Amino acid sequence: MTSKHASSRRLWPYLAVPGLAVLVAAVVFIVGSGRDDGGSGGSSDESLPGSQADDLSSSSLQPSDEELREAAQVQLQSQLDEAVAAFLAEEDDENFYAAVAVDDGEFRLDYDGEVQYDTASVVKVEILSMMLKEYGTLDQVPGWLLDRAELMIRESDNDATNDVLYGGTFDDGHAAIAQAHIDFGLEHTNPNETEQWGKTQTTALDQLRVLEIALYEDAGVLDAEQTEYARSLMGDLADFQQWGVSAAAADGETVWMKNGWDTRDAMGGEWVVNSIGVVAGDTDAPIEIAILTGGSSSQEEGIERVEALAEIVRTVVDTDPYA
């Protein structure tokens, strides 16, 4: 999956990392060094026995497709690291942290992608997936529960979330979400010791997996009708929820997302503001993005920071590392 639609409200002094150019230059130098330097009597006839002039295309000196892809991965990862680090330095806020992960189908990149932070309300996507999986098919879910699930996602309603998790679908909602982390392959996601689902600890990379489970049938958890239902909710959020990774979308691109925010007394009342979602999700080139942040002085500041990071991510993804 690739995408070439750039969308950014900030200009960043990205310096392209010429990894591929260096690789190609090295190959040219090595091949050139293998030519006759005059030791065979000064002849320039490349048809002499042992000449490789007619066999360079199949030479092991040529980089393979996998080597080119690995070099491209290194280049894009370096760009993301430098861009996010520059953004954090510009914010100059020792309390602020950010973790980012992105997958465009060809490359998976992250910045502190394996560091655990609070989910806040983005955990509701996992809870939705749990509910759908528990009932097996969409038509088996009680109507009242579908109504609560809609409020949980579209308006991020906390009471509705408690109803979904603790309202009878599961014998023990807290134990169920702990088991779901395991069943869904979320290796670095852990429940809070209490029943406060918003204090679930997760990583940006694990949240990419959550997006795949909820929105794509081939993740192997939900069927096509269930994932379509999740898309319908995450693609039609209430107006006050229209922020976050959607800042990475170009005009007209479909976005499926879920945001989360909360204050933490342990952080002096500072804000956790997160956003996960898929940009251009209904195309052949969807881009999965997860952004976890904390330490902002207000929800508004947190939103601005999340959206700036989303734009940085999109700029990096839109870079052609093979050019």
Side-chain angles (χ1 to χ4, degrees):
M1 295 179 286
T2 57
S3 181
K4 301 301 168 193
H5 304 289
S7 172
S8 179
R9 293 180 301 164
R10 297 191 180 190
L11 296 178
W12 290 89
Y14 295 124
L15 296 177
V17 181
L20 295 178
V22 171
L23 181 59
V24 173
V27 172
V28 172
F29 175 79
I30 293 170
V31 173
S33 298
R35 292 176 179 168
D36 189 354
D37 62 359
S40 59
S43 171
S44 61
D45 183 0
E46 293 186 343
S47 64
L48 290 173
S51 171
Q52 298 181 11
D54 297 328
D55 193 33
L56 287 179
S57 62
S58 61
S59 171
S60 61
L61 296 177
Q62 296 292 329
S64 67
D65 289 345
E66 181 59 26
E67 287 171 335
L68 289 172
R69 199 205 69 80
E70 289 177 359
Q73 170 84 24
V74 169
Q75 175 179 328
L76 291 176
Q77 182 63 62
S78 179
Q79 279 188 259
L80 182 68
D81 289 343
E82 291 178 10
V84 175
F87 174 74
L88 295 175
E90 184 182 74
E91 292 298 291
D92 192 23
D93 182 349
E94 63 181 9
N95 295 317
F96 179 57
Y97 67 76
V100 172
V102 58
D103 192 325
D104 70 350
E106 183 175 11
F107 301 105
R108 176 166 288 205
L109 313 169
D110 72 274
Y111 182 95
D112 281 349
E114 294 186 344
V115 180
Q116 285 186 319
Y117 296 115
D118 288 352
T119 57
S121 286
V122 298
V123 75
K124 294 170 182 176
V125 178
E126 183 181 358
I127 294 173
L128 174 66
S129 300
M130 290 169 56
M131 181 199 81
L132 294 172
K133 179 177 181 290
E134 183 69 16
Y135 282 94
T137 60
L138 190 62
D139 60 6
Q140 293 297 314
V141 184
W144 71 269
L145 193 54
L146 292 175
D147 291 340
R148 302 308 282 167
E150 180 177 349
L151 284 174
M152 176 178 71
I153 299 298
R154 293 193 66 247
E155 299 187 16
S156 204
D157 186 281
N158 292 337
D159 290 336
T161 305
N162 288 330
D163 289 342
V164 173
L165 190 58
Y166 300 116
T169 296
F170 307 100
D171 292 336
D172 182 338
H174 185 62
I177 196 170
Q179 186 61 46
H181 300 334
I182 298 170
D183 294 343
F184 292 165
L186 308 179
E187 297 181 359
H188 303 290
T189 299
N190 306 108
N192 188 262
E193 60 185 11
T194 71
E195 293 189 346
Q196 295 175 285
W197 38 260
K199 291 187 176 180
T200 298
Q201 290 280 291
T202 194
T203 67
L205 284 169
D206 271 3
Q207 288 306 298
L208 294 185
R209 171 64 179 164
V210 171
L211 290 169
E212 291 163 0
I213 288 168
L215 299 171
Y216 293 98
E217 181 186 3
D218 58 11
V221 176
L222 304 180
D223 64 28
E225 188 177 21
Q226 291 170 322
T227 56
E228 185 59 36
Y229 174 70
R231 293 177 181 187
S232 71
L233 299 184
M234 295 174 66
D236 187 28
L237 301 185
D239 289 344
F240 67 94
Q241 297 277 323
Q242 295 295 333
W243 56 266
V245 296
S246 55
D251 289 344
E253 285 185 333
T254 297
V255 179
W256 306 317
M257 68 178 179
K258 181 71 190 78
N259 301 318
W261 64 97
D262 200 0
T263 56
R264 290 286 179 263
D265 292 339
M267 300 171 65
E270 293 179 333
W271 284 78
V272 171
V273 181
N274 302 330
S275 185
I276 64 173
V278 180
V279 173
D282 59 346
T283 71
D284 292 333
I287 304 170
E288 303 167 2
I289 303 172
I291 300 174
L292 308 177
T293 76
S296 294
S297 61
S298 66
Q299 182 183 4
E300 291 73 22
E301 181 180 58
I303 290 173
E304 290 177 0
R305 287 168 160 176
V306 165
E307 293 190 336
L309 287 165
E311 292 167 357
I312 288 171
V313 167
R314 186 60 185 269
T315 300
V316 172
V317 169
D318 281 347
T319 301
D320 184 355
Y322 299 109

